[in-house]
Amino acid sequence: MRIYEVGPRDGLQNESAPISIDAKLRFIDLLADAGLREIEATSFVSPRAIPQLADADELMARLERRPGVRYPVLVPNERGLERAEAAAVDALCVFTAASEEFTAHNINMSIAASIDAFRPVVSTARERGWWSRGYVSTAFGCPYQGRVDEGAVVDVALRLLELGVDEVSIGDTIGVAGPADVRRVVGALLGAGIGADRLAMHFHDTRGTALANVTTALDLGIRCFDASTGGTGGCPYAPGAAGNLATEDLVYLLEREGLSHGVDLDRLLVAARHVSGTLGRPLGTKVGQAGGWRLP
Ligand code: HMG
Ligand code: MG
């Protein structure tokens, strides 16, 4: 199992109150202490689009990277790539969507233009031997367009894989999917010949269906899930997108399923409490509220 932590990026990007770089760095360190090996650290996007992550250059300069831990960053264009290179990153994510309207709001491009913008980014990443991922947002529903057809998701996923990304992450950006939708969309992706090992699922828990969706995706062979410690998150360009699936809730479920994932739940809760303290909000996640108790 791979648990791909998005808390420092997706979790914080929508917060309007300033968060210090020290608090962000401490969060990332606590996540690594808990055993997470993939921690999406920040975004090299326009500071006007995402003011909360405008400190990405300094954050990456100060981050003490641990061997064996991957710290991917979001990169939307060549300007972002330059910043990523200056920050000596070795893992990046490009991001587009399965619906035109969300893509226009989020990155001010059409889907086709976004693929063109990513081509040099992914090609440079490959030349440098970096790991890369492509996001397909609004894979189930779009806040502007409504229901999204699985054919559109497959089409964008294939185009990203053709660019050369190592994997695609399929995003339920506004948390509208249920298990039947997961069977429909993941079934179409697998049916198009995309291996389960090239797919990650990115669920937001807006309507409380994220864990049910994980269970469904597990049954379909998916082994990588994105999650955010403390359950924070959302995209400013996706009205109504509440928090991501909480990493602590995911870890608990995987433990009960007997699936190994390398994360220590008690240590993870330290990171979750750190983020809730930083944001000045009580920890709202299920396992966060229940504490460390669990079935032996
Ligand atoms: P634009 O305005 O069309 O681009 O934005 P532009 O090229 O005209 O640039 C506008 C200004 O931004 C210029 O500055 C550029 O220099 C600057 P000005 O001359 O006006 O002062 N700029 C940059 N600055 C720093 N780094 C850069 C960069 N690029 C341009 N890389 C753009 C287009 C893509 C840049 C913008 O729309 C953007 O940055 N969008 C990012 C939005 C974002 O990060 N959204 C959240 C992540 S996606 C998500 O959360 C979903 C996900 O979690 C999965 C899921 O849940 O589904 C991944
Ligand atoms: Mg997201």
Short mmCIF file of all heavy atoms in Angstrom, two decimals, residues 6 9-11 13 40 135 137 171-174 202-204 226 233-235 241-244, ligand 2:
data_model
loop_
_atom_site.label_atom_id
_atom_site.label_comp_id
_atom_site.label_asym_id
_atom_site.label_seq_id
_atom_site.Cartn_x
_atom_site.Cartn_y
_atom_site.Cartn_z
N VAL A 6 -1.11 14.50 1.22
CA VAL A 6 -1.27 15.80 0.54
C VAL A 6 -1.54 16.96 1.52
O VAL A 6 -1.83 18.07 1.10
CB VAL A 6 -2.38 15.75 -0.55
CG1 VAL A 6 -2.02 14.79 -1.67
CG2 VAL A 6 -3.75 15.42 0.06
N ARG A 9 0.13 20.47 1.13
CA ARG A 9 -0.25 21.16 -0.11
C ARG A 9 -1.78 21.33 -0.19
O ARG A 9 -2.30 22.40 0.07
CB ARG A 9 0.31 20.38 -1.32
CG ARG A 9 0.29 21.15 -2.63
CD ARG A 9 -1.04 21.15 -3.35
NE ARG A 9 -1.55 19.80 -3.63
CZ ARG A 9 -2.79 19.58 -4.08
NH1 ARG A 9 -3.61 20.58 -4.30
NH2 ARG A 9 -3.21 18.35 -4.30
N ASP A 10 -2.49 20.26 -0.49
CA ASP A 10 -3.95 20.37 -0.64
C ASP A 10 -4.58 20.80 0.69
O ASP A 10 -5.52 21.60 0.73
CB ASP A 10 -4.52 19.00 -1.07
CG ASP A 10 -5.87 19.09 -1.75
OD1 ASP A 10 -6.51 20.15 -1.69
OD2 ASP A 10 -6.30 18.09 -2.34
N GLY A 11 -4.02 20.27 1.78
CA GLY A 11 -4.59 20.55 3.10
C GLY A 11 -4.53 22.01 3.47
O GLY A 11 -5.43 22.53 4.14
N GLN A 13 -3.70 24.72 1.18
CA GLN A 13 -3.79 25.71 0.08
C GLN A 13 -5.02 26.62 0.16
O GLN A 13 -5.02 27.71 -0.35
CB GLN A 13 -3.75 25.01 -1.28
CG GLN A 13 -4.99 24.21 -1.61
CD GLN A 13 -4.89 23.46 -2.95
OE1 GLN A 13 -3.86 23.45 -3.60
NE2 GLN A 13 -5.98 22.84 -3.37
N GLU A 40 3.45 15.45 -0.26
CA GLU A 40 3.36 16.55 -1.23
C GLU A 40 3.55 17.85 -0.46
O GLU A 40 2.72 18.20 0.39
CB GLU A 40 1.99 16.49 -1.93
CG GLU A 40 1.98 17.20 -3.27
CD GLU A 40 0.71 16.85 -4.03
OE1 GLU A 40 -0.31 17.51 -3.78
OE2 GLU A 40 0.73 15.93 -4.85
N TYR A 135 -2.47 14.80 -12.25
CA TYR A 135 -3.78 14.77 -11.59
C TYR A 135 -4.90 14.95 -12.62
O TYR A 135 -4.81 15.83 -13.49
CB TYR A 135 -3.91 15.92 -10.60
CG TYR A 135 -3.30 15.69 -9.24
CD1 TYR A 135 -2.09 16.27 -8.88
CD2 TYR A 135 -3.95 14.90 -8.29
CE1 TYR A 135 -1.54 16.07 -7.63
CE2 TYR A 135 -3.41 14.70 -7.03
CZ TYR A 135 -2.21 15.29 -6.70
OH TYR A 135 -1.67 15.10 -5.46
N SER A 137 -8.50 16.07 -12.07
CA SER A 137 -9.51 16.54 -11.12
C SER A 137 -10.91 16.40 -11.70
O SER A 137 -11.07 16.11 -12.88
CB SER A 137 -9.25 18.01 -10.76
OG SER A 137 -8.14 18.11 -9.92
N GLY A 171 -9.06 12.47 -9.18
CA GLY A 171 -9.57 13.29 -8.08
C GLY A 171 -11.08 13.44 -8.04
O GLY A 171 -11.70 13.84 -9.03
N ASP A 172 -11.64 13.15 -6.87
CA ASP A 172 -13.04 13.52 -6.61
C ASP A 172 -12.98 14.87 -5.88
O ASP A 172 -13.18 14.97 -4.67
CB ASP A 172 -13.74 12.46 -5.76
CG ASP A 172 -15.22 12.76 -5.58
OD1 ASP A 172 -15.75 13.62 -6.30
OD2 ASP A 172 -15.86 12.16 -4.68
N THR A 173 -12.70 15.89 -6.66
CA THR A 173 -12.34 17.21 -6.15
C THR A 173 -13.36 17.80 -5.18
O THR A 173 -12.99 18.46 -4.21
CB THR A 173 -12.18 18.17 -7.36
OG1 THR A 173 -11.45 17.48 -8.36
CG2 THR A 173 -11.50 19.45 -6.99
N ILE A 174 -14.65 17.57 -5.46
CA ILE A 174 -15.68 18.15 -4.58
C ILE A 174 -16.40 17.07 -3.78
O ILE A 174 -17.45 17.33 -3.18
CB ILE A 174 -16.67 19.02 -5.39
CG1 ILE A 174 -17.24 18.25 -6.59
CG2 ILE A 174 -16.01 20.31 -5.83
CD1 ILE A 174 -18.40 18.96 -7.29
N HIS A 202 -7.84 9.97 -5.25
CA HIS A 202 -7.75 11.19 -4.44
C HIS A 202 -9.18 11.58 -4.06
O HIS A 202 -9.88 12.21 -4.84
CB HIS A 202 -7.06 12.26 -5.29
CG HIS A 202 -6.90 13.61 -4.66
ND1 HIS A 202 -5.68 14.10 -4.25
CD2 HIS A 202 -7.79 14.60 -4.40
CE1 HIS A 202 -5.83 15.33 -3.77
NE2 HIS A 202 -7.10 15.66 -3.85
N PHE A 203 -9.58 11.16 -2.87
CA PHE A 203 -10.96 11.42 -2.46
C PHE A 203 -11.03 12.58 -1.48
O PHE A 203 -10.24 12.67 -0.54
CB PHE A 203 -11.56 10.16 -1.80
CG PHE A 203 -11.73 9.01 -2.75
CD1 PHE A 203 -11.09 7.80 -2.52
CD2 PHE A 203 -12.54 9.13 -3.88
CE1 PHE A 203 -11.24 6.73 -3.40
CE2 PHE A 203 -12.70 8.07 -4.76
CZ PHE A 203 -12.05 6.86 -4.52
N HIS A 204 -12.01 13.43 -1.70
CA HIS A 204 -12.37 14.43 -0.69
C HIS A 204 -13.59 13.89 0.05
O HIS A 204 -14.44 13.21 -0.55
CB HIS A 204 -12.66 15.78 -1.35
CG HIS A 204 -11.40 16.51 -1.73
ND1 HIS A 204 -10.90 17.59 -1.02
CD2 HIS A 204 -10.51 16.30 -2.73
CE1 HIS A 204 -9.78 18.01 -1.58
NE2 HIS A 204 -9.51 17.25 -2.63
N ASP A 226 -4.47 9.03 -1.84
CA ASP A 226 -4.06 10.34 -1.34
C ASP A 226 -4.89 10.65 -0.09
O ASP A 226 -6.08 10.32 -0.03
CB ASP A 226 -4.36 11.43 -2.39
CG ASP A 226 -3.63 11.22 -3.71
OD1 ASP A 226 -2.87 10.25 -3.83
OD2 ASP A 226 -3.85 12.03 -4.64
N GLY A 233 -8.31 20.58 3.83
CA GLY A 233 -8.13 20.64 2.39
C GLY A 233 -9.31 21.12 1.61
O GLY A 233 -10.43 21.22 2.10
N GLY A 234 -9.02 21.38 0.34
CA GLY A 234 -10.02 21.90 -0.57
C GLY A 234 -9.33 22.81 -1.55
O GLY A 234 -8.21 23.24 -1.31
N CYS A 235 -10.00 23.05 -2.65
CA CYS A 235 -9.40 23.90 -3.68
C CYS A 235 -10.22 25.18 -3.78
O CYS A 235 -11.44 25.12 -3.89
CB CYS A 235 -9.40 23.14 -5.01
SG CYS A 235 -8.88 24.14 -6.40
N ALA A 241 -15.75 22.23 -2.00
CA ALA A 241 -14.83 21.12 -1.75
C ALA A 241 -14.36 21.19 -0.31
O ALA A 241 -13.59 22.08 0.05
CB ALA A 241 -13.63 21.20 -2.69
N ALA A 242 -14.83 20.28 0.52
CA ALA A 242 -14.38 20.26 1.91
C ALA A 242 -13.12 19.41 1.98
O ALA A 242 -12.50 19.12 0.97
CB ALA A 242 -15.48 19.72 2.78
N GLY A 243 -12.78 19.02 3.20
CA GLY A 243 -11.50 18.38 3.43
C GLY A 243 -11.25 17.12 2.63
O GLY A 243 -12.17 16.45 2.15
N ASN A 244 -9.97 16.81 2.52
CA ASN A 244 -9.57 15.53 1.93
C ASN A 244 -9.93 14.41 2.90
O ASN A 244 -10.11 14.62 4.11
CB ASN A 244 -8.05 15.50 1.76
CG ASN A 244 -7.56 16.41 0.66
OD1 ASN A 244 -7.50 16.03 -0.49
ND2 ASN A 244 -7.22 17.63 1.02
MG MG B 2 -7.61 17.82 -3.86
#
